[in-house]
Amino acid sequence: MANEYSRAAEMIAGADGLLVCAGAGMGVDSGLPDFRGNEGFWRAYPPYARLGLEFTDLADPEHFHTDPEFAWGFYGHRLELYRRTEPHRGFTLLREWGERTTGGVRVFTSNVDGQFQRAGFSDVCEAHGSIHHLQCLAGCSGKTWPSDDHAVTVDPDTMRARPPLPECPRCGSTARPNILMFGDGDWIGDRSQEQLNELRAWQRERRALVVVELGAGSAVPTVRRYAEATTATSGALIRINPREPRIPGERGVSIATSALEALDAIDSHLRGQAGGEATPRAAGR
């Protein structure tokens, strides 16, 4: 696989901008659960295994209307998990590579965990929203707001949230995460659309864009499709995925391994090509 790492390093070294496209697999090396398939989901959440509930059963906005303590049990647990999780060093490597290009670095992600912002990225397009922002369940306005002032306590045995639940500051109704769920007609996507507009404007200015796609599967193909569409006529795609690495055509590099392993290897090649003068590898956290 050394040839793939070397080719990827050459692409990144010649880029005038780096676009990171990330799916759920990006967070696995930070210790975040992999929701791929019921077995992985149930290993992360044993109470739901006992109840026979799948991820798609829980990521349903209707639960916030019918049983908000049940709904917030799942999302409240995830909110606290993401708040205490430190991004792995691969995030820092990507940011440093991008900052060495003339155009800088941007992120397009389906992840709602806020890990890129925590790792110091300032320009992130969150295609499915963010668990760190809320919206009114009653729809009293089209506004969203940060969840920073809200803490959700969850009973670990029942996975139900204990009152008080997050409330809308305008009307006092229960709030819900500003996340696009399955069959979700009430999601307020204005914030994500603004981020996407800014990203597309930046892309139009690039002449040698390199896309690094990490941990993005085909079950929910939002990230894969964006990465492929971005590099369909120009630019280069580096796809890092241990299960589904294939790239259509011959316009990129496929690397069949985890995000952190690949990023460490590419960084070694970048430092070697620069005669050891590139930014030193970020320390593990």
Side-chain angles (χ1 to χ4, degrees), residues 19 21 203 209-213 224-239 247-248 251-252:
L19 174 59
C21 291
Q203 286 179 215
L209 180 66
V210 171
V211 176
V212 181
E213 180 199 294
R224 288 173 77 95
R225 287 178 178 170
Y226 193 87
E228 291 176 4
T230 298
T231 56
T233 57
S234 64
L237 173 60
I238 301 167
R239 172 166 284 160
I247 294 176
R251 62 177 185 271

Side-chain angles (χ1 to χ4, degrees), residues 40-255:
F41 175 64
W42 286 338
R43 279 196 300 272
Y45 291 101
Y48 294 134
R50 294 194 296 270
L51 296 170
L53 294 173
E54 303 176 8
F55 174 72
T56 53
D57 296 323
L58 293 152
D60 184 337
E62 186 60 25
H63 293 312
F64 283 95
H65 293 281
T66 60
D67 192 348
E69 292 177 3
F70 171 79
W72 266 114
F74 179 51
Y75 283 96
H77 181 274
R78 291 174 67 189
L79 176 61
E80 296 306 316
L81 173 64
Y82 298 152
R83 282 174 170 170
R84 66 174 182 265
T85 297
E86 289 291 331
H88 60 75
R89 65 176 173 273
F91 286 85
T92 302
L93 294 179
L94 288 164
R95 180 170 51 80
E96 291 176 346
W97 299 346
E99 289 173 348
R100 292 200 292 266
T101 70
T102 57
V105 59
R106 299 291 189 277
V107 176
F108 178 89
T109 182
S110 59
N111 298 340
V112 301
D113 51 31
Q115 288 283 285
F116 281 98
Q117 290 92 333
R118 193 176 178 92
F121 289 80
S122 57
D123 296 284
V124 182
C125 176
E126 296 164 300
H128 294 170
S130 170
I131 200 167
H132 301 290
H133 284 76
L134 303 175
Q135 66 181 71
C136 178
L137 188 62
C140 72
S141 76
K143 304 293 185 180
T144 63
W145 66 93
S147 62
D148 299 351
D149 295 332
H150 298 275
V152 181
T153 303
V154 179
D155 184 320
D157 295 321
T158 64
M159 290 301 290
R160 295 181 66 84
R162 299 186 178 108
L165 303 179
E167 293 182 350
C168 174
R170 294 172 180 83
C171 72
S173 298
T174 302
R176 52 158 279 188
N178 181 230
I179 293 174
L180 178 61
M181 304 176 201
F182 294 103
D184 194 349
D186 296 325
W187 178 58
I188 299 172
D190 295 356
R191 180 173 171 274
S192 294
Q193 186 61 52
E194 290 175 4
Q195 295 170 341
L196 181 59
N197 293 343
E198 293 174 2
L199 173 59
R200 286 174 172 166
W202 173 81
Q203 286 179 215
R204 288 193 290 270
E205 298 175 354
R206 309 278 71 78
R207 296 294 177 266
L209 180 66
V210 171
V211 176
V212 181
E213 180 199 294
L214 308 108
S218 58
V220 180
T222 306
V223 172
R224 288 173 77 95
R225 287 178 178 170
Y226 193 87
E228 291 176 4
T230 298
T231 56
T233 57
S234 64
L237 173 60
I238 301 167
R239 172 166 284 160
I240 299 168
N241 192 303
R243 302 183 184 95
E244 302 173 282
R246 190 181 68 83
I247 294 176
E250 301 294 331
R251 62 177 185 271
V253 175
S254 302
I255 301 175

